[in-house]
Structure formats: structure tokens, C-alpha cells
Amino acid sequence: MKANDRHFIDEFSRELDEIEKTSPMKGGYERIEPEIHEFEQGGHRFRILNFHVESRNWWKPGMVEWSLSTMKNANFVRQDDIVFDLGCNTGFLTTWFALQASAGHVHAFDPFLWNAAATRLQAKLNGLTNVTVHAVGIGPTRKEIKVPIHSSSTVGKKLSESDASAIKIQIEPLRTYYNAKPTFIKIDIEGAEHELGPSIVQSSIQRGYIEMHPQFILEAGGRVDSVFQDLKKSHFDIAHHEPGAKS
């Protein structure tokens, strides 16, 4: 642990205490003792603080995030890019984007307050000044919705105002942020990606990387291929990637 790490951890823990007064962390988001680990991924070395069960399970020491190597090797993210990281979670990929687009800027989006706070913390931990975090989800329209505390998906959820197992989150349309002039977009929003096709092609985005969640899309009554159809109509080239395979 570095000399200033305890300061970061204590400051962040106090912020989580405040967040939990209105948005309790449960299920995969249940808090654990904060841990700081160093990673070398996609040509960059950086440090990440894990603080809930999901982050500990995903960002283990020694893990390899294959998508970063794919984006690095394909030159998807360039030095002066304006990156939109939709569904930034705790900021692992946001941190890498900020290092890769060192002359650009990263706008990170996540509707869960603890994830947004963590993404800001990762930037501080790594001395990054080119990250802006927005504590909102991205969807087709502006709205406030209730979602299960334990779930990262925001689509197809029908909860009553009195449901004690849910919290309120804010959703904003992508066009709200067009003025930032994004050039690259990463989308990992647990099924809501099927709603974004038109807003992507109407923006300044040139390249992107989308993690698809077909099960969530189908559960919400959407079409799995809708986002790709919109991209194809606007003459985007589309490639399929997965660990160990490329087509």
C-alpha cells in the first residue's frame, strides 16, 4: 500500500456511508473491505480499488480483460479521442481509456451512485485529470426509474413506488451530451443497448465497442439486432469479437 492510499480509502468509505443512507448496497453490490490492486492491461499499468462483491469478482489480480487488448491492437481508441464509457461500473475500463486517450477526455456514465463515486476515485488514484463522471444511465428518453437494488440491469423492470427492494436512478438520453463531441463509445449497459442505435448514428461517434446482453434485451421485449441495423444503415463497419475468436 502506498503512503497516500489510506487517505483515499478513508475518504471513499465516508462517501459510501453517505450514499448508503438513501441507496443501500446489496447483493453483488454488497460492500467488502476496500482493496487496491495494480494491473497491467492493454499496454498500460494502473491501480484499481475494489470495494464491493462484484468488483472483487471481476477485477482480480492476474485477470486479463481481453477487450482491452482487442481495442489496443485494432487502434480503436486513439490518443485524442473523446470517449464515452456507457456503463462504466467501478471505472476499470474508464481508467484504461483515460490512459489510452491521454490527449483526449473520457466521459463515464453509470446510474449507481457507488459506481460513479468509485470511477472518480480511480481517476484520483491514478493521477488522471481527463475523466468526467456522470451519475446517470443512458437511454432513449429522460426519466427517473426504480430498479432492484441487487441488479445491474435497468431494462424491463416494473417496480412500484413503494417497493422496498429498489432504488431510484436517473436516465438521460445520449443527445444530452452531444456537445462533448464524442468520437469513441463503449457500451455495456446490461440490455439497454438495443434502444440506442438512432442516438449513436446521430452523434459525432466514429468508432465503438458494444457488449451485448441478448437475454436482457429479449426479456424487455426488444430486438437483439436493432442496434446493428441502425449502425449498418449509417455505413458503420461491424465486427464480432469474443475471447479466443474474431470474425
Side-chain angles (χ1 to χ4, degrees):
M1 183 177 290
K2 294 186 177 181
N4 207 33
D5 284 355
R6 177 46 56 187
H7 167 75
F8 283 120
I9 289 173
D10 290 346
E11 183 181 76
F12 182 60
S13 295
R14 288 191 292 271
E15 188 170 5
L16 291 183
D17 290 341
E18 289 299 311
I19 288 171
E20 284 213 87
K21 290 179 180 179
T22 55
S23 299
M25 299 171 65
K26 297 183 179 180
Y29 293 135
E30 183 177 352
R31 287 168 70 171
I32 62 170
E33 185 67 25
E35 310 163 337
I36 295 176
H37 300 290
E38 189 166 292
F39 296 87
E40 188 161 352
Q41 302 279 318
H44 297 289
R45 184 181 293 273
F46 52 94
R47 306 173 76 227
I48 291 292
L49 182 139
N50 292 337
F51 65 99
H52 55 37
V53 172
E54 183 179 89
S55 62
R56 180 184 61 195
N57 291 342
W58 276 108
W59 315 123
K60 299 175 181 177
M63 57 73 68
V64 176
E65 176 50 56
W66 64 274
S67 65
L68 297 184
S69 296
T70 299
M71 286 187 274
K72 176 77 170 180
N73 294 338
N75 196 29
F76 279 5
V77 184
R78 299 166 189 175
Q79 189 176 28
D80 60 350
D81 268 331
I82 304 300
V83 176
F84 273 22
D85 184 355
L86 274 55
C88 64
N89 202 289
T90 63
F92 189 95
L93 268 69
T94 295
T95 301
W96 184 86
F97 288 139
L99 292 165
Q100 182 72 5
S102 57
H105 200 90
V106 182
H107 290 267
F109 301 82
D110 200 286
F112 296 98
L113 297 180
W114 48 79
N115 282 343
T119 302
R120 294 188 190 97
L121 184 279
Q122 315 296 9
K124 291 180 183 178
L125 195 61
N126 290 280
L128 299 168
T129 59
N130 61 334
V131 174
T132 300
V133 181
H134 308 271
V136 300
I138 297 296
T141 58
R142 175 177 289 123
K143 57 186 174 181
E144 185 179 75
I145 62 175
K146 294 198 77 173
V147 298
I149 293 171
H150 60 275
S151 174
S152 58
S153 178
T154 62
V155 297
K157 311 299 180 185
K158 296 181 179 179
L159 301 168
S160 68
E161 283 296 312
S162 60
D163 195 325
S165 66
I167 59 174
K168 290 182 179 180
I169 62 172
Q170 183 66 34
I171 303 296
E172 292 286 344
L174 188 63
R175 64 177 179 274
T176 303
Y177 304 95
Y178 281 173
N179 286 344
K181 301 188 185 310
T183 53
F184 178 90
I185 191 168
K186 178 229 104 181
I187 303 174
D188 181 5
I189 51 178
E190 308 295 318
E193 60 271 12
H194 78 286
E195 302 174 322
L196 297 183
S199 61
I200 295 172
V201 301
Q202 292 162 12
S203 72
S204 54
I205 292 164
Q206 303 165 10
R207 286 160 275 109
Y209 200 96
I210 305 174
E211 182 170 326
M212 297 295 295
H213 300 82
Q215 180 180 348
F216 291 147
I217 294 172
L218 293 173
E219 288 175 357
R223 285 178 46 206
V224 174
D225 66 345
S226 60
V227 64
F228 298 118
Q229 293 304 318
D230 286 317
L231 292 171
K232 285 179 180 178
K233 288 176 184 176
S234 294
H235 308 293
F236 278 85
D237 294 323
I238 297 174
H240 170 243
H241 298 267
E242 61 183 70
K246 176 181 175 182
S247 63

